[in-house]
Amino acid sequence: MMTAMTTPDMELALPARATNIAVVRHAFGALGEVFALDEEILSNIRLCGHRGMHERRRPCLPDEHEGLLEVAATLQADKLEVVVRDEGPGIGPRPGSPGLGLGLPLIASLTESVQLGRDEDERTEVRMTFPLSVASS
């Protein structure tokens, strides 16, 4: 998935462990404070970031290979782009999974757009775009 080169406003590279998902959630909270994001929007970003990392983390790497979990967030004029990537084999059906299969549909419902694919280094990536204004009711 090739995109224009933009310097992210937040970039993290952590061992791909479930415990680091909380670290990333806190980083999104700090990003929200710095850029004074609406609380509803920030809640969506945290939830989708968590789901995106959980979707990536659970099936991605065998136990003996921890790998890296990378998260980048880029603020644009009216949206925030969040990219979650790792070295796993990709997202696909997982027979016998204990989940309900709602992670990706939830992300799709809370984002402006979501893309699944591989980056130029063949790492699996979830790319999510969030609008920065709350839709009127």
Side-chain angles (χ1 to χ4, degrees), residues 48-67:
C48 291
H50 175 266
R51 292 305 321 155
M53 288 179 284
H54 196 261
E55 290 291 330
R56 297 297 324 114
R57 184 62 222 126
R58 206 172 28 188
C60 66
L61 299 169
D63 292 337
E64 68 275 3
H65 178 66
E66 195 168 77

Side-chain angles (χ1 to χ4, degrees), residues 74-129:
T74 305
L75 187 65
Q76 298 167 1
D78 60 347
K79 59 187 169 187
L80 179 75
E81 183 179 66
V82 174
V83 179
V84 178
R85 72 174 60 94
D86 68 22
E87 300 163 354
I91 297 174
R94 294 186 318 270
S97 169
L100 298 175
L102 301 177
L104 292 174
L106 176 66
I107 290 171
S109 73
L110 295 175
T111 60
E112 184 176 281
S113 69
V114 61
Q115 297 174 320
L116 309 174
R118 295 208 174 263
D119 71 1
E120 61 276 0
D121 295 322
E122 289 300 307
R123 295 173 295 187
T124 302
E125 123 179 334
V126 178
R127 184 175 295 270
M128 301 167 278
T129 304

